[in-house]
Amino acid sequence: EGFRAAPLEPAEQARRAGQLDRFLRLVPIEYDRGVDGTRVTLAFEIQEAISFRNGVAVALADIAPELLAGDPAATRELTAIVDGLGRTLEAAGAGRAAPAETVRARTDRALELVDELYPDSWKEAASGADFDVIAASLDRLAGAAKAGSWGRAEQARLEAYGIFELGPEQRLRGIAPSLFVRIEGLFWYGDGGDSGLVQLVKRKDAGPELEASVAALQAELDQAAQRVGSSSSTGAVISNSAIVVFREGLEAVLILAALMASMVGPARRYRRPLLAGAAVALVASAITWVVAQTVLGSLARYGEKLEAVVSVVAIAVL
């Protein structure tokens, strides 16, 4: 149990741990798309869920020795859940589907165990695993295009872009905006002479142009992985965030100072309710942030649809 002839280096362990986390999160998403109740509606979605589950099993086997050394009981429970998911998904592939809620509940429990078992360094490595999942999706896109299955090719493109959008994109915008624009163009309508994947899939072009665009996109993603994973990128993100918060905070202080400047003499009694209002606003801001994080996190699987709704709300606010 947990034997590995050639133990992995710490950096590779963290990478496999990140892959396990990302692949595991995608299993219920793909499965939910492929079933309606206990009926399989899209067999290829079930196959993708099986592929992700198999990726979880391989990654778990690689890091099992470390996990068993920390908490044997939790590791064995996690292994049992992953094995059970495999049997459930294989049954669905044969037409005997379990409800999506069942797969979601098992996955949620597995993710709870992962959170308990992983050291902090492994949890931080999950962001790097986004690029591994994107690469796997692009491989499926190329394979589906060669087979003439353009619906699956477009699904793989959207999946790759969705993972990029919900993970690396947010950091890349701040530390390498030009690289972000380049990657965005290759996913969509092209950039720098390379056609966009959405155009190629739409016109069902499985020739050299598709291979060139996928290769160009993968090269840019490799560069993005280096930028996002570098220590300097972390400092850049912190600096950018600090500047924005300082700027907005300074604006709020100036507004309060302008209001309080007029509160002299008899009007001085209004300073206390003004400060009380500012304190309530601070608490309300913290609550709003928690609610927004919770709501957006629970809706993350909707990808571009969620971005569209949030953008419309932002426009309305402006």
Side-chain angles (χ1 to χ4, degrees):
E1 182 185 35
F3 172 77
R4 183 177 175 84
L8 298 175
E9 294 294 326
E12 188 61 25
Q13 290 176 351
R15 181 171 174 271
R16 301 293 174 84
Q19 289 178 345
L20 188 155
D21 179 89
R22 284 298 185 261
F23 286 143
L24 186 58
R25 293 178 189 277
L26 288 168
V27 169
I29 295 175
E30 299 295 340
Y31 187 83
D32 185 53
R33 292 172 179 168
V35 298
D36 182 7
T38 57
R39 183 171 59 91
V40 175
T41 55
L42 295 172
F44 71 86
E45 297 286 4
I46 302 300
Q47 290 305 314
E48 290 187 357
I50 291 173
S51 296
F52 283 127
R53 204 286 323 179
N54 291 344
V56 171
V58 171
L60 179 57
D62 286 336
I63 61 175
E66 296 295 322
L67 298 180
L68 284 166
D71 190 335
T75 303
R76 293 184 183 114
E77 183 182 355
L78 176 60
T79 302
I81 292 174
V82 172
D83 291 342
L85 281 172
R87 292 189 292 271
T88 299
L89 296 177
E90 289 294 342
R96 304 184 304 276
E101 293 77 11
T102 301
V103 173
R104 171 69 66 178
R106 293 179 184 175
T107 306
D108 287 345
R109 175 55 185 160
L111 288 170
E112 290 176 4
L113 292 168
V114 165
D115 188 60
E116 294 173 9
L117 288 165
Y118 277 14
D120 291 339
S121 59
W122 286 12
K123 294 176 183 178
E124 294 171 0
S127 61
D130 285 335
F131 292 100
D132 295 323
V133 180
I134 293 171
S137 297
L138 291 177
D139 287 341
R140 289 205 311 279
L141 184 157
K146 289 180 180 179
S149 182
W150 295 103
R152 293 181 63 184
E154 173 61 8
Q155 184 66 41
R157 185 195 71 84
L158 285 174
E159 181 179 285
Y161 178 71
I163 296 168
F164 171 73
E165 179 186 37
L166 295 173
E169 176 184 314
Q170 304 307 317
R171 298 184 65 189
L172 207 58
R173 281 178 183 267
I175 62 177
S178 60
L179 183 58
F180 156 72
V181 170
R182 167 79 170 154
I183 293 174
E184 186 94 351
L186 290 172
F187 266 120
W188 291 93
Y189 295 102
D191 183 83
D194 293 307
S195 298
L197 293 183
V198 72
Q199 295 174 314
L200 296 170
V201 171
K202 186 175 182 180
R203 67 174 185 246
K204 300 181 179 180
D205 185 346
E209 195 172 1
L210 177 64
E211 294 180 6
S213 291
V214 170
L217 177 56
Q218 189 57 62
E220 298 298 338
L221 288 168
D222 290 342
Q223 185 178 348
Q226 295 177 359
R227 297 293 299 274
V228 170
S230 67
S231 58
S232 60
S233 71
T234 302
V237 171
I238 293 173
S239 299
N240 289 344
S241 300
I243 290 171
V244 172
V245 172
F246 176 77
R247 183 190 67 198
E248 298 297 332
L250 181 60
E251 182 179 346
V253 169
L254 290 173
I255 292 172
L256 289 174
L259 290 171
M260 294 184 70
S262 63
M263 295 178 181
V264 295
R268 190 177 183 84
R269 59 193 179 91
Y270 293 119
R271 289 192 174 190
R272 180 169 294 180
L274 181 67
L275 293 174
V280 171
L282 185 62
V283 174
S285 297
I287 294 173
T288 302
W289 178 79
V290 172
V291 171
Q293 287 285 94
T294 303
V295 172
L296 293 177
S298 65
L299 299 176
R301 64 182 180 275
Y302 293 105
E304 294 167 341
K305 295 179 182 178
L306 176 62
E307 181 180 9
V309 172
V310 173
S311 298
V312 170
V313 173
I315 291 170
V317 170
L318 289 175

